[in-house]
Amino acid sequence: MLKISLLAKDNNSKPKSLDEGAKSLSESNGVTSERIHLAEEANGLSMMQTLIHLLKCNIGTGLLGLPLAMKNAGLLVGPFSLLAIGILTVHCMVILLNCAQHLSQRLQKTFVNYGEAMMYSLETCPNAWLRTHSVWGRYTVSFLLIITQLGFCSVYFMFMADNLQQMVEEVHVTSKTCEPRKILVLTPSVDIRFYMLTILPFLILLVFIQNLRVLSIFSTLANITTLGSMALIFQYIMQEIPDPRNLPLMASWKTFLLFFGTAIFTFEGVGMVLPLKNQMKHPQQFSFVLYWGMSLVIVLYICLGTLGYMKFGSNTQASITLNLPNCWLYQSVKLMYSIGIFFTYALQFHVPAEIIIPFVISQVSESWVLFADLSVRTALVCLTCVSAILIPRLDLVISLVGSVSSSALALIIPPFLELITFYPEDMNCTTIVKDIMISILGLLGLCLFWFLDFSGGLLYL
């Protein structure tokens, strides 16, 4: 995808100030993105390929933690809250799409990405200070996208290594008969970091694939393996469900904040919305794909989370796979889901790579473009591996990334973007109030989660 023609900047030119350098980078990346889009327009993604990518971007590791999220919210509050968060998230995706389309038409550009949309909208807002520093809006969004997507990738590393370790360590106690899981206290013979390092070279090779059309093949394989694992999970949790009347309808507000973080984290596709639309053969069809795909995702989330909590109750684990019987049939769930997550890694990696790599290769000579491209990809994958090694708590990482970066990108920034984009064009009061309330909700969840984190509120886990 990244061609030698990406060099849109004179390597000998030096910015005179930080703001000038930022604007130079913005223009360079804008030209880069537009050239890529024009070059691939004829071979863009079909509706089915886009739907496959959209589903795979949103069906990740957070899905398996939804039964515990329901436990943290309550049997009644959990499903309705998850539905509300899902609707709000999709609405904010639509806001982002509308703002990007409006700005691209206003500026007569082929398309704009998330960061460019923020920058261009700030350039026309009434506040003079914001107009002067509009480029920092792009920087903020790009930074959050990088942190969020690489955070997803780090969680994927932990998830795959953890499942691989479990499968290897439990081989001698895995039975052919699928009885309810007994608590196993096994002393790992091999450190989990060994499994992470084993996966590392394969992920490095995977991210060298840069074309979303090629990645759609792997997304299809990932969806097939994920569908198989989901079928086995549902087949088990729908059998002999205990009486749910003993389960609390509403949990405490402290645990509800963990639910909020996990729920926001689970909707992992906000960073891929604009890239997917921009690479479709017919971008005007993306709204249909978005509504159809996200409806399927929300229904899947609610069903798995609710049924999983009803099945396991107070014994619900951080990942539902830890509640499944220790037999070969359900061990295959871990294997199939890990394969799906492996291929999803490349999709989530695509966003930070498209932000960082164009800038890096614009700083080197033409003969070093390929080397710089592959080196940055390798370094970023290694960074996610190191992060996974240093942060061993998967459940807290999911809630942390979800409450902070994901809530900012999914709930806080899109309504703010709509306000500054359409306010000069006489927005109605209802829209203004709605946008402010959504942003406050996302900001409140973020701040309260951080308050609990720093005050030791998460130590009960």
Side-chain angles (χ1 to χ4, degrees):
M1 181 184 295
L2 295 173
K3 308 296 184 184
I4 293 177
S5 61
L6 291 179
L7 295 173
K9 180 178 177 182
D10 184 1
N11 295 326
N12 296 323
S13 62
K14 303 291 182 182
K16 295 180 181 180
S17 69
L18 192 57
D19 278 353
E20 288 180 13
K23 290 179 180 178
S24 176
L25 169 60
S26 169
E27 293 171 0
S28 174
N29 285 348
V31 173
T32 294
S33 301
E34 202 153 343
R35 288 181 180 179
I36 292 172
H37 184 269
L38 291 173
E40 297 189 347
E41 192 175 40
N43 298 315
L45 299 173
S46 66
M47 285 183 63
M48 183 56 64
Q49 289 172 326
T50 307
L51 179 62
I52 290 171
H53 278 317
L54 183 66
L55 291 175
K56 201 66 216 77
C57 286
N58 284 279
I59 301 176
T61 57
L63 174 64
L64 300 179
L66 284 177
L68 180 63
M70 292 296 181
K71 177 184 175 182
N72 290 329
L75 188 59
L76 178 64
V77 175
F80 283 103
S81 298
L82 186 58
L83 176 62
I85 291 175
I87 293 173
L88 280 179
T89 302
V90 175
H91 177 66
C92 288
M93 290 178 179
V94 174
I95 289 176
L96 179 59
L97 291 170
N98 291 339
C99 291
Q101 182 178 1
H102 181 80
L103 290 168
S104 62
Q105 291 175 349
R106 180 198 296 175
L107 301 169
Q108 297 183 340
K109 289 181 171 290
T110 306
F111 75 98
V112 295
N113 59 35
Y114 200 160
E116 291 169 341
M118 177 59 70
M119 180 181 68
Y120 292 140
S121 61
L122 288 175
E123 286 178 353
T124 58
C125 74
N127 188 283
W129 188 89
L130 289 177
R131 289 198 304 270
T132 304
H133 299 84
S134 60
V135 71
W136 290 101
R138 177 195 177 103
Y139 271 3
T140 301
V141 170
S142 296
F143 175 76
L144 289 173
L145 281 171
I146 292 171
I147 293 297
T148 302
Q149 300 302 121
L150 292 183
F152 291 152
C153 291
S154 294
V155 172
Y156 290 174
F157 246 114
M158 285 184 271
F159 179 84
M160 289 184 288
D162 189 39
N163 279 276
L164 185 59
Q165 184 187 46
Q166 289 175 28
M167 287 186 287
V168 172
E169 300 291 342
E170 295 179 2
V171 165
H172 65 285
V173 293
T174 301
S175 64
K176 295 181 180 179
T177 57
C178 296
E179 301 294 335
R181 173 177 283 266
K182 298 178 181 178
I183 298 176
L184 298 174
V185 181
L186 298 175
T187 303
S189 59
V190 180
D191 193 285
I192 192 172
R193 289 171 288 190
F194 170 80
Y195 295 99
M196 292 182 183
L197 294 176
T198 302
I199 299 169
L200 178 61
F202 297 101
L203 283 175
I204 290 175
L205 293 176
L206 180 66
V207 301
F208 286 170
I209 302 173
Q210 306 168 30
N211 194 306
L212 282 180
R213 282 179 58 84
V214 177
L215 285 178
S216 67
I217 300 173
F218 295 105
S219 287
T220 303
L221 294 175
N223 281 336
I224 292 173
T225 57
T226 303
L227 182 62
S229 62
M230 285 292 104
L232 287 174
I233 291 174
F234 274 105
Q235 179 266 337
Y236 181 74
I237 64 178
M238 293 179 68
Q239 298 178 18
E240 302 176 0
I241 298 177
D243 188 350
R245 286 178 293 183
N246 297 325
L247 300 177
L249 298 179
M250 179 184 300
S252 70
W253 69 273
K254 289 185 177 181
T255 58
F256 182 81
L257 290 177
L258 283 179
F259 163 83
F260 177 82
T262 303
I264 292 294
F265 177 92
T266 307
F267 291 94
E268 304 176 16
V270 63
M272 287 296 295
V273 170
L274 286 176
L276 286 176
K277 179 185 178 182
N278 294 335
Q279 296 202 29
M280 284 188 72
K281 287 181 182 178
H282 306 290
Q284 65 274 13
Q285 298 175 339
F286 184 74
S287 294
F288 173 79
V289 175
L290 179 67
Y291 285 123
W292 175 242
M294 293 307 298
S295 297
L296 293 176
V297 168
I298 292 172
V299 170
L300 175 63
Y301 285 178
I302 294 175
C303 290
L304 181 67
T306 305
L307 291 174
Y309 178 41
M310 290 171 62
K311 174 69 175 180
F312 304 114
S314 60
N315 295 321
T316 303
Q317 301 295 314
S319 173
I320 195 173
T321 56
L322 298 177
N323 287 109
L324 297 178
N326 189 35
C327 64
W328 291 111
L329 177 62
Y330 292 106
Q331 285 286 54
S332 67
V333 171
K334 298 178 183 179
L335 177 61
M336 288 190 292
Y337 210 90
S338 295
I339 292 173
I341 291 299
F342 177 82
F343 291 123
T344 308
Y345 185 101
L347 281 176
Q348 301 292 4
F349 185 88
H350 178 81
V351 175
E354 288 297 292
I355 295 173
I356 297 172
I357 291 176
F359 170 68
V360 173
I361 65 176
S362 68
Q363 308 300 311
V364 301
S365 62
E366 186 174 316
S367 59
W368 288 91
V369 166
L370 181 60
F371 176 78
D373 185 339
L374 299 183
S375 297
V376 172
R377 291 176 184 275
T378 302
L380 290 177
V381 176
C382 292
L383 177 62
T384 61
C385 181
V386 171
S387 301
I389 290 173
L390 296 178
I391 308 173
R393 289 294 302 274
L394 177 62
D395 51 353
L396 292 190
V397 172
I398 287 176
S399 292
L400 182 63
V401 174
S403 288
V404 181
S405 297
S406 295
S407 61
L409 291 170
L411 294 180
I412 299 174
I413 296 179
F416 175 72
L417 180 62
E418 184 176 42
L419 284 173
I420 57 179
T421 301
F422 293 103
Y423 185 78
E425 303 177 15
D426 297 329
M427 292 179 67
N428 61 64
C429 295
T430 304
T431 303
I432 295 175
V433 172
K434 179 260 300 180
D435 287 341
I436 293 175
M437 290 183 65
I438 295 175
S439 292
I440 290 175
L441 175 65
L443 189 62
L444 185 64
L446 186 155
C447 293
L448 288 177
F449 184 91
W450 273 101
F451 171 76
L452 276 182
D453 191 17
F454 286 117
S455 64
L458 298 177
L459 294 179
Y460 67 90
L461 287 172

